[in-house]
Amino acid sequence: DTGVSQDPRHKITKRGQNVTFRCDPISEHNRLYWYRQTLGQGPEFLTYFQNEAQLEKSRLLSDRFSAERPKGSFSTLEIQRTEQGDSAMYLCASSQASGRINYNEQFFGPGTRLTVL
Amino acid sequence: AQSVTQLDSQVPVFEEAPVELRCNYSSSVSVYLFWYVQYPNQGLQLLLKYLSGSTLVESINGFEAEFNKSQTSFHLRKPSVHISDTAEYFCAVSVTGGFKTIFGAGTRLFVKA
């Protein structure tokens, strides 16, 4: 399967613990996105990478959140000192800008569901 | 800033009936428009998109959406739904030339036998 993969699929943790999620994008894609989706809502943009550079972070991404994309391949999203409000589905997507329209179709992974007890 | 409003949180419909899922957007600049579908326990999949040209766009499984600039709408329609269409549908907007995609809250389509 050559789609976007995320690991783990599910994570249960206690409040105050740190967690790290991994995303492996489609191999030729240079753009990578992280979103958060809570119950009954659509995905909310968290951050965006072009290659290894993190070009934008949402205000939703507090100081407890950090994302990296070393070497412009896989990405990790770390949450420190988790809170119950962090419980959500964390989605990763990747894309490659194409053609003159500069439209980039985003391909989504299955997500990591985080539950903070 | 852009925003997306999906007017119905849930739409129950009988199999083989027509359905329309409504989407309105707000933007001061030109945008691309998308519909994504999310089946249970799966990631989002692009259903169809409007980039430019014909305002009526179609998917391979019978859905269509029409971009209406004057009404700032991008409603999704299907003339005859199947049980397998049961899923959550998200309308989304992206500024042309931009990278960020803004999603609506989603509409849960429930097709009953």
Side-chain angles (χ1 to χ4, degrees), chain B residues 18-34:
Chain B
V19 70
E20 178 179 78
L21 308 184
R22 297 179 292 170
C23 171
N24 285 92
Y25 71 93
S26 172
S27 177
S28 57
V29 297
S30 60
V31 295
Y32 299 141
L33 294 158
F34 311 91

Side-chain angles (χ1 to χ4, degrees), chain B residues 15-90:
Chain B
E15 193 174 22
E16 298 183 6
V19 70
E20 178 179 78
L21 308 184
R22 297 179 292 170
C23 171
N24 285 92
Y25 71 93
S26 172
S27 177
S28 57
V29 297
S30 60
V31 295
Y32 299 141
L33 294 158
F34 311 91
W35 276 99
Y36 284 83
V37 58
Q38 187 174 33
Y39 298 102
N41 300 315
Q42 295 186 29
L44 277 77
Q45 302 172 33
L46 182 66
L47 185 62
L48 46 74
K49 60 183 181 286
Y50 170 78
L51 305 181
S52 64
S54 172
T55 57
L56 185 66
V57 291
E58 299 176 352
S59 73
I60 58 173
N61 57 352
F63 282 95
E64 64 179 30
E66 185 160 19
F67 169 54
N68 187 320
K69 188 175 181 179
S70 62
Q71 296 186 6
T72 60
S73 68
F74 192 55
H75 301 332
L76 181 70
R77 294 187 289 262
K78 189 170 185 180
S80 176
V81 294
H82 302 290
I83 296 284
S84 59
D85 292 324
T86 293
E88 186 128 25
Y89 292 80
F90 294 94

Side-chain angles (χ1 to χ4, degrees), chain A residues 6-115:
Chain A
Q6 293 187 245
D7 183 69
R9 294 290 304 275
H10 304 274
K11 179 70 177 178
I12 300 174
T13 190
K14 293 182 179 179
R15 189 176 54 184
Q17 298 294 305
N18 299 343
V19 295
T20 300
F21 310 141
R22 176 179 171 124
C23 171
D24 286 90
I26 293 171
S27 58
E28 62 269 26
H29 286 182
N30 62 351
R31 296 178 175 179
L32 187 146
Y33 315 77
W34 284 99
Y35 292 85
R36 181 173 67 189
Q37 185 179 18
T38 53
L39 202 61
Q41 298 298 317
E44 298 172 291
F45 171 81
L46 292 179
T47 190
Y48 155 68
F49 290 85
Q50 175 128 347
N51 300 312
E52 66 275 10
Q54 188 175 19
L55 297 187
E56 183 159 335
K57 292 171 60 173
S58 164
R59 281 172 288 181
L60 292 174
L61 219 61
S62 75
D63 291 344
R64 297 185 296 105
F65 288 70
S66 62
E68 295 183 341
R69 193 183 181 198
K71 304 178 184 178
S73 56
F74 72 91
S75 175
T76 58
L77 177 68
E78 181 183 15
I79 309 174
Q80 296 182 327
R81 306 181 303 282
T82 52
E83 301 172 357
Q84 288 183 326
D86 297 331
S87 295
M89 178 76 85
Y90 290 84
L91 299 170
C92 176
S94 69
S95 73
Q96 178 78 16
S98 61
R100 56 187 172 85
I101 294 179
N102 194 29
Y103 154 66
N104 59 127
E105 176 177 345
Q106 295 183 32
F107 293 82
F108 283 82
T112 294
R113 183 171 295 283
L114 172 66
T115 302

